[in-house]
Each structure stands twice: as structure tokens, then as C-alpha cells.
Amino acid sequence: DADTGTCRERKPAAPTYTEVFGRTLLELAAKDSRIVAVTAAMPEGTGLSAFAQAYPERFFDVGIAEQHAVTFAAGLAVEGFRPVVAIYSTFLQRAFDQVLHDVCLDRLPVILALDRGGLVGEDGPTHHGIFDLSFLRSLPNMVVMAPRDENELRRMMLTALQHDGPIAFRYPRGSAAGVPLGPVLTPVPIGKAKVLAEGGDVAILAVGVSVGEAVKARDLLADQGIQATVVDGRFVKPVDTDLLAELARRVPRLVTVEENVRQGGFGSAVLEALNDAGIQHVAIERIGIPDAFVEHGPQNFLRAKYGLDAAAIASAARHLVQLSELPSISARARRA
């Protein structure tokens, strides 16, 4: 403390998502000898160094060759292994063809662990992982998940290992949320979202790191007398269509939030699901990265600049509520 000179007590720093991934994979590998890890010249960056030391015969660094990493993992899956391919989100783009033809076409149980999903900070436009939700969601047989915190990441890893087909989970760069880890590791039901808070004025649906911002936005809205439902979507594919339909009928004002480009991402999945279910007359605001490459900068700065933080989410939700309170055009015409 600068005024008193007294040292402040520091809370233990939360582990990074990368560290949680590495530790959990070690834990799971100790129980399942089929698990092998594959990476492309990034064992330290993806948290696999400890795995490589513990299981050198089950660790494969293929060098800067993401395409080979995915096809190699497909071959391992054919032989009965459970390969976990750990690659930065932005670099998986190089292996899109292999994910499509060598994994998804044959519905092979290859697990894609995408580190640095979303805005990564000062590395710049080449490293932001803001396209994975869109391009992976387009592939048949693929399941796509995004955890809101480190406990959900662990659960999704177990879910992936138990799934008989292609599956991906993406998690952000940096410190995790700091939540306590569950004493028993249980899988997440595939395609099922989770309601975190109830409110009748507007619903905020988010995935991944954006869920935390959505919860903060709810608190900001509550201070203004607006009650918001907050939903952790968990899955970008498949989305929870039953929950979406029920929610849209009950609270027909929805805000979707994702740290991904808006085109083809989580918000698009919500729109498509509601359309396919025949749900109409719902006001929807999609929050995500615009049609642009994002420059370098601190994560929180970029989230504020591109309207992904709690203040921006609250503003979008408030706008939807205010619109619904305005008289309709026809009603205004009658009054005139």
C-alpha cells in the first residue's frame, strides 16, 4: 500500500488454462493408456512438457506441420488410440483440409484442444483465434465446445475422451477464472447449455470466456432495474435447441456473446436453431468480432474496443429492452 507502506496480502494466482489442460491430461492419461498427445512444435505453449516427460512414448511433436499432426492423429485413432491434438487456434487453420477429409469424413475420435481461442493480446492479427468456432461448426460430425472456466475445461476434456467421434474444445490464453475444481470429474452432457441466472427482461447467451463478462453485465443491468437470464451455451455445435426455444418464447429478447467472428459462429448457430424451430418475433443482438482482422493489444483493451466486455453487453441488452418498451409503428400511426 503506497500510503501506509504495509505489504498487501496477495491471493494465490489462478493457474492458466494451459496449465489446467496439461495437468488434467496427465491425470486422465494415468487412467487410460490409449491417450496420446500430438502437437506441432509447441509443447511448452500448449502445456504438454510434463506429459512428454511422463509419457515419452505417447507424446509426438511433429514440428511446424499442423497438417501432418492432424492426419497422423487420424491414423492413431484408426488403430484404437485416443489422440489429443493440442494446437493454437490460429494455427489449426492450416490444417482445415485435414480436419475435414481425414477426421470428420471418417468420423474418427480425434480430440482437438485449441489453445489461445479468442483474443490473445499483443501477438497481433496472426495469432488471434477468432475463426475456429465458425470453421469447425461447418464440418459434419464435429462437436465444438468452449468452457467458461477451468472446472468446465476439465469436464469437457473428459467429455471429449468419452465421445466416439471428432470433437474440439477451445480455451483462452491467460489465467483461468480461479474457481474451485470439482472433487469428482464428470462429463458435460453433449449439446446441453446451463442456465446460470434467471431474469424476465432479457436473456444473455454466451460461450467460453464471454460467459464471465455476461455475468458481470447482469449485475450492471440489475443496478438499472433490468433482470437478465444468463446462459452458458457450452456448445457451439450442437446448440441446445430445446432450451433456446423455451427461452425465446419466455423472454423474446436475446443477446448472444462470443469471442469469435460473428459470421458463422455461436450467434449464427442460435439464429439458425430458432429459425429451424419456427420461432419468430424474437429480438436478437449478436455480439462478436466484426468482419475485420484484429490488431495487437491487451486482451481487456481489445474486448472493450470491440464491444465484448460487460459494459458493452449490458448496453446491448438495455437497448433491446428499451426497444420492446416503445410503441409499435402502427400504434404510433394510429395516434397520429
Side-chain angles (χ1 to χ4, degrees), residues 108-132:
L108 295 175
V110 172
I111 300 162
L112 301 176
L114 306 188
D115 203 319
R116 270 85 166 157
L119 298 169
V120 300
E122 289 84 345
D123 284 330
T126 58
H127 280 58
H128 293 303
I130 57 175
F131 305 101
D132 53 8

Side-chain angles (χ1 to χ4, degrees), residues 77-95:
V78 169
E79 294 300 319
F81 293 97
R82 299 310 305 263
V84 179
V85 184
I87 295 178
Y88 293 179
S89 167
T90 187
F91 297 142
L92 185 68
Q93 292 157 191
R94 299 171 176 171

